[in-house]
Amino acid sequence: MVNSYGVIEGGVVVNAVLAEEDFAAEQGWVLLPEGVGPNWLYDGSTFSEPLPVVPTQQEQSDLRAAAYRQESDPLFFMSQRGEATLEEWQAKVAKIKARFPYPAE
């Protein structure tokens, strides 16, 4: 019977493979419980959910820059023309910073 097996490296499921039981045993693969897949942790007997991926400051900075260009820059220029207020622009900047916090914040 074909089941889902995990290729484990360094205590982490690096790949999920469909295979017959004897072939999986020859490869040293481990039977995966339903819902378990790549990036899950394995201590030799128990699977646990993967650790959350924390974005780097550079990644957050890039996301902020894109959001500023799309969302806050237009408000800034509208405020310069009297079509919006500086407070609206500042509020948008604060929302973007909250949405994409730096790791130390």
Side-chain angles (χ1 to χ4, degrees):
M1 178 173 168
V2 174
N3 287 306
S4 182
Y5 292 89
V7 179
I8 313 292
E9 291 179 6
V12 178
V13 179
V14 295
N15 199 0
V17 181
L18 293 176
E20 296 284 340
E21 183 178 356
D22 12 339
F23 181 75
E26 290 172 13
Q27 303 303 312
W29 298 340
V30 178
L31 181 64
L32 294 178
E34 189 169 329
V36 172
N39 299 320
W40 277 65
L41 306 177
Y42 183 64
D43 66 7
S45 61
T46 307
F47 290 94
S48 51
E49 291 189 42
L51 300 174
V53 176
V54 178
T56 65
Q57 184 162 340
Q58 183 61 53
E59 290 168 333
Q60 291 295 75
S61 180
D62 293 345
L63 291 169
R64 276 188 186 186
Y68 290 148
R69 281 190 299 274
Q70 287 186 328
E71 301 170 39
S72 69
D73 288 358
L75 273 176
F76 176 78
F77 291 112
M78 287 172 67
S79 73
Q80 298 300 299
R81 295 189 305 267
E83 299 167 359
T85 67
L86 280 177
E87 289 78 18
E88 289 174 302
W89 169 70
Q90 290 169 335
K92 180 59 77 173
V93 168
K95 285 183 181 180
I96 291 169
K97 286 181 177 182
R99 197 168 70 221
F100 303 110
Y102 290 147
E105 292 182 350

